[in-house]
Amino acid sequence: MGTISLAQVDPRVASFLEKPRQMLINGKWVDAVSGKTFPTYDPSTGEVLATVAEGDRADIDLAVKAARKAFEGKWRKMSPSERGKLIWKLGDLIDAHVEEFAYLESLDNGKPLTIARAADVPLAAELFRYMAGWATKLEGNTIPLSVPYTPSAKYLSYTLREPVGVVGQIIPWNFPLLMAAWKLGPALATGCTVVLKPAEQTPLSALKLGELILEAGFPEGVVNIVPGYGETAGAALAAHMDVDKIAFTGSTEVGRLIVNAATGNLKRVSLELGGKSPNVVFKDADLDKAIPGAASAIFFNHGQCCCAGSRLYVEKSVFDQVVEGVADYAKKIKVGPGLDSATEMGPLVSLEQQNRVCSYLESGAAQGAKAAAGGHKVSGKGYFVEPTVLVDTRADMKVVQEEIFGPVVVAMPFSDPAELVPRANDNVYGLAAGIWTRDISKAHRMADQIAAGTVWINCYNIFDAALPFGGYKQSGWGREMGHEVLNNYTQTKAVCARI
Ligand code: NDP
């Protein structure tokens, strides 16, 4: 089967794309106060896919008001069990709409339909179901006191875990639905209310999710979805004086802006930012697994992953073999439109991203790096870039130090395992790392020494709603997923009663 045209997609998807999409505020679909809209593009052709209401400060104000009212009203009064049931239902509704989500995600972001169907959508559904269970388990402690200046008094002291309140969530375009789920799931489980701003490049799946949020029966104003641009809608949300917490995923540069914007009312901030993750192959690794593993660590999602294994360190005696293997893999990847069933890698998300990645390729070439595979954009329409393996790099090159966020890996040999850890840690980021070896002790010793929030051993890109994910160093603050994420959305109240 070849490329599917828009006319052939699921009719529900076609009709979703036909109408200008509105924003969700206080349980209603509404136009922007300004009446403005913006286009979202199909990155495999560069053509307009749909038009979307363009929210800005005025819409953010309305959405925050609705979220505040819901937080202080029905949502706060609902039992944890009722809340959990709604969140579970949302997960099930996503499962019931897998095809629509997979098409929207593929068309809006460019990723292969097969991947969206097998990974993005089911992971989002599972995330909601995992978080649904936490709604009834947010327990405090009882705490025995020994107050020295009231020696004969008795106290009953305990802690309560309460929701932080109205939460602003700003998400990126690389996993549009999944990032919405990572953010919404824990916020709803803890009893917060939300204003979500999806990325300008990929607003469609969040808006589809909004329809299911209404269908599931969440009270009005609990989730508000305001598409728009970062500099306007995003900045207004981050700075809003009635938002209690902001959760952000995206670039480190914008992460810094968010931190500054949050100072007005000292709102809480959690950040999931960039990465330049080391992936280490020792000579004793099972190379039949390590080579495809290293390739998929960088090429999955076209390298547009914050945790992409973009610095490949290979022990010298197997360096040539591993580089050749990863380069062969790169050359065989079928690059094409996401809807083509043969496609293994789609276009990058936007012209801007294609230009950004290509400027890194040019900088690498100018500084003396050689391409063992790829090295260029793909000519013709759409924002395609060849899967690329760079060798002959030096530690100070931009391609080695900076996040490229495209299908580009730099492969570097090492001889002495003792010098490896400082090299692997020689980066401002600390999001993830990979280790490939048959020596269990070596793997765990190294996992201990690597400064990263996630370390994968003999695997890569394994995600589960129960496994916390987040960064050391400039890769972020706080964790997504697992029970750790609940800390982002709760605050502790200590209650002390003399009895
Ligand atoms: P951004 O950090 O600009 O975008 C992430 C989100 O932040 C989007 O919703 C964006 O809105 C919003 N935003 C942008 N500016 C502001 C602002 N001033 N205040 C509040 N929100 C804002 O990422 P880009 O799309 O520009 O990608 C640039 C680089 O960022 C990539 O090359 C990659 O290195 C990194 N990145 C990292 C991601 C990760 O998962 N950690 C994900 C995406 C990118 P809008 O898009 O609507 O303008």
Side-chain angles (χ1 to χ4, degrees), residues 170-174 197-201 228-231 234-235 238 248-251 254 257-258 272-274 306 353 356 403-405:
I170 300 174
I171 56 171
W173 41 260
N174 52 345
K197 194 206 83 66
E200 71 190 55
Q201 300 86 347
Y229 294 113
E231 298 76 13
F248 171 76
T249 297
S251 61
V254 174
L257 295 177
I258 300 280
E272 203 259 274
L273 306 175
C306 46
Q353 196 62 17
R356 186 179 288 141
E403 179 174 53
I404 298 177
F405 224 68

mmCIF file of all heavy atoms in Angstrom, residues 170-174 197-201 228-231 234-235 238 248-251 254 257-258 272-274 306 353 356 403-405, ligand 1:
data_model
loop_
_atom_site.group_PDB
_atom_site.id
_atom_site.type_symbol
_atom_site.label_atom_id
_atom_site.label_comp_id
_atom_site.label_asym_id
_atom_site.label_seq_id
_atom_site.Cartn_x
_atom_site.Cartn_y
_atom_site.Cartn_z
ATOM 1 N N ILE A 170 2.395 23.874 29.241
ATOM 2 C CA ILE A 170 2.839 24.266 27.889
ATOM 3 C C ILE A 170 3.633 23.100 27.314
ATOM 4 O O ILE A 170 4.619 22.662 27.920
ATOM 5 C CB ILE A 170 3.707 25.540 27.963
ATOM 6 C CG1 ILE A 170 2.891 26.683 28.563
ATOM 7 C CG2 ILE A 170 4.243 25.907 26.579
ATOM 8 C CD1 ILE A 170 3.670 27.956 28.819
ATOM 9 N N ILE A 171 3.185 22.601 26.164
ATOM 10 C CA ILE A 171 3.784 21.366 25.652
ATOM 11 C C ILE A 171 4.343 21.560 24.238
ATOM 12 O O ILE A 171 3.949 22.474 23.527
ATOM 13 C CB ILE A 171 2.781 20.191 25.688
ATOM 14 C CG1 ILE A 171 1.492 20.528 24.924
ATOM 15 C CG2 ILE A 171 2.468 19.795 27.122
ATOM 16 C CD1 ILE A 171 0.559 19.346 24.739
ATOM 17 N N PRO A 172 5.254 20.657 23.841
ATOM 18 C CA PRO A 172 5.903 20.782 22.528
ATOM 19 C C PRO A 172 5.230 19.914 21.467
ATOM 20 O O PRO A 172 4.181 19.312 21.713
ATOM 21 C CB PRO A 172 7.311 20.268 22.828
ATOM 22 C CG PRO A 172 7.092 19.189 23.836
ATOM 23 C CD PRO A 172 5.876 19.577 24.640
ATOM 24 N N TRP A 173 5.883 19.814 20.323
ATOM 25 C CA TRP A 173 5.282 19.198 19.139
ATOM 26 C C TRP A 173 5.802 17.799 18.834
ATOM 27 O O TRP A 173 5.359 17.177 17.879
ATOM 28 C CB TRP A 173 5.569 20.093 17.920
ATOM 29 C CG TRP A 173 6.972 20.644 17.905
ATOM 30 C CD1 TRP A 173 7.349 21.909 18.298
ATOM 31 C CD2 TRP A 173 8.181 19.973 17.530
ATOM 32 N NE1 TRP A 173 8.713 22.058 18.178
ATOM 33 C CE2 TRP A 173 9.243 20.886 17.703
ATOM 34 C CE3 TRP A 173 8.474 18.705 17.051
ATOM 35 C CZ2 TRP A 173 10.574 20.572 17.434
ATOM 36 C CZ3 TRP A 173 9.793 18.375 16.788
ATOM 37 C CH2 TRP A 173 10.821 19.293 16.971
ATOM 38 N N ASN A 174 6.781 17.304 19.602
ATOM 39 C CA ASN A 174 7.393 16.034 19.175
ATOM 40 C C ASN A 174 6.523 14.808 19.462
ATOM 41 O O ASN A 174 6.536 13.847 18.709
ATOM 42 C CB ASN A 174 8.811 15.874 19.736
ATOM 43 C CG ASN A 174 8.911 16.080 21.218
ATOM 44 O OD1 ASN A 174 7.994 16.604 21.842
ATOM 45 N ND2 ASN A 174 10.018 15.667 21.807
ATOM 46 N N LYS A 197 -1.658 24.665 26.841
ATOM 47 C CA LYS A 197 -1.355 25.278 25.543
ATOM 48 C C LYS A 197 -0.508 24.314 24.708
ATOM 49 O O LYS A 197 0.655 24.079 24.992
ATOM 50 C CB LYS A 197 -0.588 26.598 25.702
ATOM 51 C CG LYS A 197 -0.586 27.362 24.378
ATOM 52 C CD LYS A 197 0.569 28.300 24.170
ATOM 53 C CE LYS A 197 1.823 27.705 23.660
ATOM 54 N NZ LYS A 197 1.784 27.150 22.286
ATOM 55 N N PRO A 198 -1.122 23.743 23.654
ATOM 56 C CA PRO A 198 -0.336 22.868 22.771
ATOM 57 C C PRO A 198 0.599 23.689 21.882
ATOM 58 O O PRO A 198 0.445 24.914 21.780
ATOM 59 C CB PRO A 198 -1.402 22.165 21.930
ATOM 60 C CG PRO A 198 -2.659 22.949 22.082
ATOM 61 C CD PRO A 198 -2.530 23.874 23.254
ATOM 62 N N ALA A 199 1.543 23.025 21.234
ATOM 63 C CA ALA A 199 2.487 23.723 20.350
ATOM 64 C C ALA A 199 1.774 24.214 19.088
ATOM 65 O O ALA A 199 0.859 23.549 18.590
ATOM 66 C CB ALA A 199 3.628 22.792 19.978
ATOM 67 N N GLU A 200 2.238 25.331 18.569
ATOM 68 C CA GLU A 200 1.593 25.914 17.379
ATOM 69 C C GLU A 200 1.669 24.954 16.182
ATOM 70 O O GLU A 200 0.796 24.967 15.321
ATOM 71 C CB GLU A 200 2.268 27.254 17.015
ATOM 72 C CG GLU A 200 3.665 27.077 16.438
ATOM 73 C CD GLU A 200 4.462 28.369 16.283
ATOM 74 O OE1 GLU A 200 4.616 29.077 17.289
ATOM 75 O OE2 GLU A 200 4.919 28.644 15.173
ATOM 76 N N GLN A 201 2.742 24.125 16.136
ATOM 77 C CA GLN A 201 2.916 23.216 14.990
ATOM 78 C C GLN A 201 1.944 22.041 15.041
ATOM 79 O O GLN A 201 1.639 21.449 14.004
ATOM 80 C CB GLN A 201 4.356 22.652 14.974
ATOM 81 C CG GLN A 201 5.465 23.686 14.853
ATOM 82 C CD GLN A 201 5.879 24.269 16.196
ATOM 83 O OE1 GLN A 201 5.205 24.094 17.216
ATOM 84 N NE2 GLN A 201 6.989 24.982 16.211
ATOM 85 N N GLY A 228 -2.267 28.430 20.414
ATOM 86 C CA GLY A 228 -1.774 29.771 20.096
ATOM 87 C C GLY A 228 -0.259 29.742 20.067
ATOM 88 O O GLY A 228 0.344 28.665 20.134
ATOM 89 N N TYR A 229 0.328 30.922 19.983
ATOM 90 C CA TYR A 229 1.784 31.000 19.874
ATOM 91 C C TYR A 229 2.432 31.147 21.253
ATOM 92 O O TYR A 229 1.827 31.691 22.189
ATOM 93 C CB TYR A 229 2.180 32.178 18.983
ATOM 94 C CG TYR A 229 1.753 31.981 17.548
ATOM 95 C CD1 TYR A 229 0.774 32.790 16.972
ATOM 96 C CD2 TYR A 229 2.312 30.971 16.775
ATOM 97 C CE1 TYR A 229 0.373 32.604 15.659
ATOM 98 C CE2 TYR A 229 1.911 30.774 15.455
ATOM 99 C CZ TYR A 229 0.951 31.589 14.906
ATOM 100 O OH TYR A 229 0.554 31.389 13.612
ATOM 101 N N GLY A 230 3.672 30.684 21.335
ATOM 102 C CA GLY A 230 4.402 30.723 22.597
ATOM 103 C C GLY A 230 4.603 32.131 23.119
ATOM 104 O O GLY A 230 4.419 32.407 24.311
ATOM 105 N N GLU A 231 4.963 33.032 22.207
ATOM 106 C CA GLU A 231 5.310 34.399 22.640
ATOM 107 C C GLU A 231 4.081 35.146 23.153
ATOM 108 O O GLU A 231 4.226 36.148 23.867
ATOM 109 C CB GLU A 231 5.921 35.214 21.482
ATOM 110 C CG GLU A 231 7.227 34.676 20.923
ATOM 111 C CD GLU A 231 7.027 33.455 20.027
ATOM 112 O OE1 GLU A 231 5.884 33.157 19.624
ATOM 113 O OE2 GLU A 231 8.027 32.760 19.760
ATOM 114 N N GLY A 234 1.480 31.458 25.331
ATOM 115 C CA GLY A 234 2.367 30.753 26.277
ATOM 116 C C GLY A 234 2.912 31.708 27.323
ATOM 117 O O GLY A 234 2.888 31.419 28.533
ATOM 118 N N ALA A 235 3.397 32.860 26.853
ATOM 119 C CA ALA A 235 3.999 33.824 27.783
ATOM 120 C C ALA A 235 2.946 34.347 28.764
ATOM 121 O O ALA A 235 3.218 34.525 29.958
ATOM 122 C CB ALA A 235 4.630 34.970 26.992
ATOM 123 N N ALA A 238 2.381 31.670 31.403
ATOM 124 C CA ALA A 238 3.513 31.524 32.336
ATOM 125 C C ALA A 238 3.553 32.670 33.340
ATOM 126 O O ALA A 238 3.970 32.489 34.492
ATOM 127 C CB ALA A 238 4.817 31.456 31.543
ATOM 128 N N PHE A 248 6.198 22.793 32.057
ATOM 129 C CA PHE A 248 6.650 23.099 30.705
ATOM 130 C C PHE A 248 7.510 21.971 30.157
ATOM 131 O O PHE A 248 8.355 21.426 30.864
ATOM 132 C CB PHE A 248 7.472 24.399 30.734
ATOM 133 C CG PHE A 248 8.182 24.699 29.440
ATOM 134 C CD1 PHE A 248 7.487 25.191 28.348
ATOM 135 C CD2 PHE A 248 9.548 24.470 29.302
ATOM 136 C CE1 PHE A 248 8.128 25.450 27.137
ATOM 137 C CE2 PHE A 248 10.199 24.728 28.098
ATOM 138 C CZ PHE A 248 9.493 25.222 27.020
ATOM 139 N N THR A 249 7.316 21.646 28.888
ATOM 140 C CA THR A 249 8.266 20.788 28.167
ATOM 141 C C THR A 249 8.640 21.503 26.881
ATOM 142 O O THR A 249 7.765 21.979 26.150
ATOM 143 C CB THR A 249 7.643 19.415 27.821
ATOM 144 O OG1 THR A 249 7.340 18.735 29.035
ATOM 145 C CG2 THR A 249 8.618 18.550 27.034
ATOM 146 N N GLY A 250 9.944 21.572 26.619
ATOM 147 C CA GLY A 250 10.408 22.241 25.405
ATOM 148 C C GLY A 250 11.878 22.563 25.511
ATOM 149 O O GLY A 250 12.640 21.854 26.191
ATOM 150 N N SER A 251 12.277 23.649 24.860
ATOM 151 C CA SER A 251 13.701 23.982 24.795
ATOM 152 C C SER A 251 14.180 24.584 26.110
ATOM 153 O O SER A 251 13.413 25.211 26.846
ATOM 154 C CB SER A 251 13.938 24.973 23.653
ATOM 155 O OG SER A 251 13.210 26.158 23.902
ATOM 156 N N VAL A 254 13.581 28.415 26.199
ATOM 157 C CA VAL A 254 12.242 28.859 26.628
ATOM 158 C C VAL A 254 12.020 28.486 28.100
ATOM 159 O O VAL A 254 11.372 29.227 28.840
ATOM 160 C CB VAL A 254 11.134 28.311 25.705
ATOM 161 C CG1 VAL A 254 9.756 28.657 26.239
ATOM 162 C CG2 VAL A 254 11.290 28.874 24.301
ATOM 163 N N LEU A 257 12.943 31.336 30.066
ATOM 164 C CA LEU A 257 11.931 32.410 30.006
ATOM 165 C C LEU A 257 10.777 32.094 30.953
ATOM 166 O O LEU A 257 10.217 32.986 31.601
ATOM 167 C CB LEU A 257 11.387 32.562 28.578
ATOM 168 C CG LEU A 257 12.374 33.017 27.503
ATOM 169 C CD1 LEU A 257 11.681 33.040 26.134
ATOM 170 C CD2 LEU A 257 12.925 34.405 27.830
ATOM 171 N N ILE A 258 10.412 30.811 31.021
ATOM 172 C CA ILE A 258 9.294 30.398 31.882
ATOM 173 C C ILE A 258 9.646 30.683 33.347
ATOM 174 O O ILE A 258 8.819 31.208 34.110
ATOM 175 C CB ILE A 258 9.014 28.882 31.696
ATOM 176 C CG1 ILE A 258 8.653 28.556 30.252
ATOM 177 C CG2 ILE A 258 7.994 28.364 32.703
ATOM 178 C CD1 ILE A 258 7.250 28.846 29.829
ATOM 179 N N GLU A 272 10.724 20.116 31.728
ATOM 180 C CA GLU A 272 11.330 18.957 31.070
ATOM 181 C C GLU A 272 11.952 19.515 29.801
ATOM 182 O O GLU A 272 11.233 19.916 28.885
ATOM 183 C CB GLU A 272 10.243 17.918 30.791
ATOM 184 C CG GLU A 272 10.807 16.523 30.646
ATOM 185 C CD GLU A 272 10.928 16.131 29.203
ATOM 186 O OE1 GLU A 272 9.950 15.642 28.632
ATOM 187 O OE2 GLU A 272 12.028 16.337 28.646
ATOM 188 N N LEU A 273 13.298 19.574 29.772
ATOM 189 C CA LEU A 273 13.968 20.355 28.732
ATOM 190 C C LEU A 273 14.792 19.464 27.795
ATOM 191 O O LEU A 273 14.432 18.334 27.546
ATOM 192 C CB LEU A 273 14.828 21.434 29.399
ATOM 193 C CG LEU A 273 14.058 22.327 30.386
ATOM 194 C CD1 LEU A 273 14.983 23.282 31.109
ATOM 195 C CD2 LEU A 273 12.934 23.081 29.692
ATOM 196 N N GLY A 274 15.886 20.010 27.319
ATOM 197 C CA GLY A 274 16.629 19.318 26.263
ATOM 198 C C GLY A 274 17.549 18.221 26.780
ATOM 199 O O GLY A 274 17.595 17.918 27.966
ATOM 200 N N CYS A 306 13.720 14.400 23.235
ATOM 201 C CA CYS A 306 14.625 15.076 24.166
ATOM 202 C C CYS A 306 15.672 14.100 24.690
ATOM 203 O O CYS A 306 16.770 14.505 25.045
ATOM 204 C CB CYS A 306 13.828 15.691 25.308
ATOM 205 S SG CYS A 306 12.608 14.570 25.967
ATOM 206 N N GLN A 353 12.514 23.652 11.769
ATOM 207 C CA GLN A 353 13.277 22.561 12.377
ATOM 208 C C GLN A 353 14.223 21.945 11.347
ATOM 209 O O GLN A 353 15.359 21.609 11.649
ATOM 210 C CB GLN A 353 12.312 21.512 12.951
ATOM 211 C CG GLN A 353 12.964 20.543 13.919
ATOM 212 C CD GLN A 353 13.526 21.218 15.168
ATOM 213 O OE1 GLN A 353 13.179 22.353 15.487
ATOM 214 N NE2 GLN A 353 14.430 20.548 15.840
ATOM 215 N N ARG A 356 17.085 24.253 11.085
ATOM 216 C CA ARG A 356 17.924 24.197 12.286
ATOM 217 C C ARG A 356 18.845 22.970 12.225
ATOM 218 O O ARG A 356 20.053 23.067 12.453
ATOM 219 C CB ARG A 356 17.016 24.125 13.518
ATOM 220 C CG ARG A 356 17.744 24.206 14.827
ATOM 221 C CD ARG A 356 16.760 24.157 15.993
ATOM 222 N NE ARG A 356 15.994 25.380 16.139
ATOM 223 C CZ ARG A 356 14.703 25.449 16.458
ATOM 224 N NH1 ARG A 356 14.022 24.358 16.673
ATOM 225 N NH2 ARG A 356 14.096 26.607 16.588
ATOM 226 N N GLU A 403 22.203 20.226 21.456
ATOM 227 C CA GLU A 403 21.087 19.377 21.049
ATOM 228 C C GLU A 403 20.690 19.727 19.610
ATOM 229 O O GLU A 403 20.404 20.882 19.302
ATOM 230 C CB GLU A 403 19.896 19.630 21.979
ATOM 231 C CG GLU A 403 18.694 18.803 21.617
ATOM 232 C CD GLU A 403 17.546 18.945 22.623
ATOM 233 O OE1 GLU A 403 17.149 20.086 22.895
ATOM 234 O OE2 GLU A 403 17.071 17.909 23.116
ATOM 235 N N ILE A 404 20.683 18.729 18.732
ATOM 236 C CA ILE A 404 20.337 18.974 17.324
ATOM 237 C C ILE A 404 18.842 18.762 17.100
ATOM 238 O O ILE A 404 18.205 19.459 16.346
ATOM 239 C CB ILE A 404 21.187 18.064 16.398
ATOM 240 C CG1 ILE A 404 22.679 18.408 16.573
ATOM 241 C CG2 ILE A 404 20.746 18.207 14.941
ATOM 242 C CD1 ILE A 404 23.631 17.543 15.785
ATOM 243 N N PHE A 405 18.279 17.781 17.790
ATOM 244 C CA PHE A 405 16.840 17.469 17.700
ATOM 245 C C PHE A 405 16.451 17.089 16.285
ATOM 246 O O PHE A 405 15.460 17.556 15.729
ATOM 247 C CB PHE A 405 16.006 18.649 18.210
ATOM 248 C CG PHE A 405 14.872 18.205 19.110
ATOM 249 C CD1 PHE A 405 15.123 17.667 20.359
ATOM 250 C CD2 PHE A 405 13.551 18.336 18.717
ATOM 251 C CE1 PHE A 405 14.092 17.258 21.191
ATOM 252 C CE2 PHE A 405 12.505 17.929 19.541
ATOM 253 C CZ PHE A 405 12.785 17.382 20.782
HETATM 254 P P1 NDP B 1 9.980 25.709 22.231
HETATM 255 O O1 NDP B 1 10.658 25.517 23.532
HETATM 256 O O2 NDP B 1 9.932 27.074 21.628
HETATM 257 O O3 NDP B 1 8.452 25.197 22.310
HETATM 258 C C1 NDP B 1 7.873 24.453 23.334
HETATM 259 C C2 NDP B 1 6.569 25.095 23.786
HETATM 260 O O4 NDP B 1 6.856 26.344 24.404
HETATM 261 C C3 NDP B 1 5.613 25.402 22.641
HETATM 262 O O5 NDP B 1 4.281 25.206 23.088
HETATM 263 C C4 NDP B 1 5.874 26.870 22.400
HETATM 264 O O6 NDP B 1 4.807 27.535 21.759
HETATM 265 C C5 NDP B 1 6.056 27.374 23.803
HETATM 266 N N1 NDP B 1 6.742 28.655 23.922
HETATM 267 C C6 NDP B 1 7.622 29.228 23.055
HETATM 268 N N2 NDP B 1 8.021 30.429 23.516
HETATM 269 C C7 NDP B 1 7.384 30.629 24.691
HETATM 270 C C8 NDP B 1 7.374 31.684 25.651
HETATM 271 N N3 NDP B 1 8.117 32.781 25.485
HETATM 272 N N4 NDP B 1 6.614 31.549 26.751
HETATM 273 C C9 NDP B 1 5.865 30.452 26.948
HETATM 274 N N5 NDP B 1 5.814 29.426 26.053
HETATM 275 C C10 NDP B 1 6.575 29.506 24.953
HETATM 276 O O7 NDP B 1 10.601 24.687 21.206
HETATM 277 P P2 NDP B 1 10.747 24.850 19.627
HETATM 278 O O8 NDP B 1 9.523 24.351 19.012
HETATM 279 O O9 NDP B 1 11.162 26.229 19.240
HETATM 280 O O10 NDP B 1 11.968 23.867 19.370
HETATM 281 C C11 NDP B 1 13.280 24.378 19.559
HETATM 282 C C12 NDP B 1 14.198 23.369 20.170
HETATM 283 O O11 NDP B 1 13.693 23.028 21.450
HETATM 284 C C13 NDP B 1 14.278 22.029 19.453
HETATM 285 O O12 NDP B 1 15.204 22.071 18.403
HETATM 286 C C14 NDP B 1 14.728 21.142 20.567
HETATM 287 O O13 NDP B 1 16.120 21.271 20.745
HETATM 288 C C15 NDP B 1 14.020 21.702 21.785
HETATM 289 N N6 NDP B 1 12.777 20.974 22.104
HETATM 290 C C16 NDP B 1 12.795 20.119 23.149
HETATM 291 C C17 NDP B 1 11.685 19.356 23.429
HETATM 292 C C18 NDP B 1 11.660 18.394 24.558
HETATM 293 O O14 NDP B 1 10.929 17.418 24.505
HETATM 294 N N7 NDP B 1 12.389 18.645 25.643
HETATM 295 C C19 NDP B 1 10.487 19.403 22.604
HETATM 296 C C20 NDP B 1 10.532 20.403 21.554
HETATM 297 C C21 NDP B 1 11.658 21.131 21.327
HETATM 298 P P3 NDP B 1 4.668 27.579 20.160
HETATM 299 O O15 NDP B 1 5.338 26.375 19.604
HETATM 300 O O16 NDP B 1 3.220 27.523 19.993
HETATM 301 O O17 NDP B 1 5.253 28.854 19.711
#
